[in-house]
Amino acid sequence: SALADPEIELRRAISGGGSELVASNPDWGPHADVIAASARLGAFALAASSKDAAIVTEPLNSVYTVQIRGVSGGTGIALAELYDTNTLAGARLVNISARCRVGTGDDVLIAGFVIAGDGPRQVLIRGIGPSLIPQGIPTASALLDPKIDLYRIVNGVSSVVTSNDDWGGGTALSNAFNATGAFTLPTGSKDAALLITLAPGVYTAQVSGGGSSTGS
């Protein structure tokens, strides 16, 4: 089921709408900068002959999208990874979001992240489906009842930390939306959201559809 020949594009949002291409890559190399960055950051090594794609860049402060597609129209499952290579004080990654077709079984949306450092961090995790409809996703294509399952991975074994089906319109979540710049959700919507404090570690947030439903 893997995407045999992925191509990656990094695009930056521009004023007035739209985006501009910053960098692209159909085959990762092998390139020395990718090898060095992967070793330093703990990313698993890519085979020298593989058709995987990778980019090492130093983007300006802005809003970006990473788009992955199959070369020559190929399809399949792909993993999009983003590592922050800048360890200088003050540098931080604020928000990551992904949009894809959520299926069932192996085709649910899986987003992995790492909490680094010595202390816990509060994070906001959302699974948006119905509230994408006013933003242009057709009703027939939207995931109408998303559910989030949050897992922690320890020594290769994952266990459920918590779950959420409908976000419920809570004040703490609403305040978190405002504080982080996340768009508002209608109080009675079927979108899912979690506001949780997590210890340092490796986590995955998995989004599926209630009743084995599918959509974006």
Side-chain angles (χ1 to χ4, degrees):
S1 300
L3 183 60
D5 191 3
E7 179 177 12
I8 190 171
E9 286 188 356
L10 177 65
R11 307 190 70 91
R12 184 173 70 89
I14 57 178
S15 59
S19 64
E20 62 180 3
L21 181 65
V22 176
S24 64
N25 180 261
D27 299 315
W28 80 275
H31 290 297
D33 57 349
V34 175
I35 294 172
S38 297
R40 181 165 62 88
L41 298 168
F44 62 84
L46 301 176
S49 60
S50 81
K51 302 292 285 185
D52 301 294
I55 296 170
V56 177
T57 186
E58 295 186 14
L60 302 172
N61 289 343
S62 189
V63 176
Y64 295 85
T65 59
V66 173
Q67 300 182 14
I68 299 176
R69 62 175 58 87
V71 173
S72 300
T75 61
I77 296 174
L79 172 67
E81 296 183 307
L82 176 62
Y83 293 86
D84 189 350
T85 65
N86 191 344
T87 58
L88 297 176
R92 78 189 167 124
L93 190 61
V94 176
N95 171 59
I96 301 174
S97 60
R99 199 198 86 188
C100 75
R101 179 76 179 176
V102 175
T104 59
D106 291 338
D107 293 331
V108 300
L109 173 61
I110 303 174
F113 61 95
V114 178
I115 303 292
D118 299 323
R121 303 279 296 192
Q122 188 178 65
V123 297
L124 172 64
I125 304 169
R126 308 203 305 177
I128 307 298
S131 291
L132 292 180
I133 296 172
Q135 301 187 46
I137 298 298
T139 301
S141 299
L143 185 64
L144 299 179
D145 188 11
K147 177 188 176 185
I148 298 172
D149 292 302
L150 178 64
Y151 293 82
R152 184 174 184 183
I153 303 173
V154 179
N155 296 325
V157 178
S158 62
S159 56
V160 176
V161 177
T162 189
S163 302
N164 179 259
D165 191 355
D166 302 330
W167 79 281
T171 300
L173 280 167
S174 296
N175 291 340
F177 300 164
N178 293 330
T180 58
F183 61 83
T184 301
L185 301 179
T187 300
S189 81
K190 302 288 285 185
D191 302 291
L194 291 168
L195 181 65
I196 186 170
T197 299
L198 299 174
V202 180
Y203 299 86
T204 62
Q206 303 187 17
V207 178
S208 58
S212 297
S213 58
T214 62
S216 295

